[in-house]
Amino acid sequence: MHNVEQVLENRILQLSFNRLERKNAITAEMYGALAQALDKANSDPAVRVVLMTGQPGIFTSGNDIQDFLENPPTGIQSPVFRFLDALSHLEKPLVAAVDGLAVGVGTTLLLHCDLVYATPEARFQLPFVNLGLVPEAASSLLLPQIAGYQRAAEMLLLGEVFSAEQALTAGLVNAIVPSHQLLEHALGIAHKLVERPAQALRLTKCLLKQPYLSQIEQVMQAEGELFIRQLTSPEAKEAFAAFIEKRKPDFSKLG
Ligand code: COA
């Protein structure tokens, strides 16, 4: 069983995180598989719509912290950045269905989706600062655009968990759907998109995204450089050690 399941049915490519024993934490290998799948979806006429999802009760706990320590990204060609690049360049509609926790990149990837559905039990978190890191996926640009500056600052500076209702109010989510209907609902929406004329759909998505694309690339690059630098900072080392040792981090002795 792969950690990223890929099912192409009725012209909908469904990509599902499937690594329940680690709360669907995403490894470099998984980022690589996702990047490849999204790039391929762009050029494959058999794919009209992409749907990203997790498992009932968990979307993803974000970057795999252990894997990040053992296999850190070193540059723009690293799998995590290849994934983010592929995500921002996907020309076909991208729908997300979120149940349970969506941590870190689990929330920032939603900023690149066209339609997002979440259950009342969905929980979102951008804990980068708490890990001694900085935002990624151009979230420092896109989140204030979508949610407004004050909300974005609250989410990124405090890094606290927020609810599906808060995500809806902030504009991160299109609708809240009961968990037993989530997948069916998201697939139903994806199916509607499949029935729309493909060329017009693609052009419309391009028109929506194009004005921001070069800015997104620049911001992703700037964030990526800082992210890689912060990964080896004393702050991140303390945060990661605390996670692995299952204790609260102590940043009080660091500048
Ligand atoms: N990276 C690596 N391992 C992770 C992980 C992650 N992001 N998220 C969960 N895991 C592991 C846990 O260490 C645990 O491993 P163990 O069974 O060997 O102890 C296992 O997955 C189950 O997680 P657990 O913490 O027991 O589940 P929980 O329901 O109590 O809490 C979370 C779930 C997601 C709240 C918690 O695991 C967490 O805070 N994870 C880190 C999230 C994070 O900071 N992500 C990085 C964003 S950049």
Side-chain angles (χ1 to χ4, degrees), residues 69-89:
L69 288 173
E70 289 163 9
N71 208 0
T74 52
I76 216 74
Q77 275 315 311
S78 295
V80 57
F81 295 114
R82 281 199 289 116
F83 163 65
L84 296 177
D85 184 64
L87 190 66
S88 61
H89 286 94

Side-chain angles (χ1 to χ4, degrees), residues 21-23 25 61 63-65 101 103 127-128 131 243 246:
E21 71 285 3
R22 283 283 175 273
K23 303 278 169 182
S61 61
N63 293 312
D64 186 304
I65 291 175
L101 272 174
V103 185
F128 302 110
L131 293 167
F243 176 73
K246 298 190 189 290

Side-chain angles (χ1 to χ4, degrees), residues 191-212:
H191 191 67
K192 279 190 189 180
L193 292 166
V194 167
E195 288 178 333
R196 301 291 190 265
Q199 183 72 359
L201 205 58
R202 196 173 178 141
L203 290 171
T204 301
K205 172 160 177 168
C206 280
L207 284 167
L208 281 165
K209 297 275 185 187
Q210 192 62 41
Y212 312 103

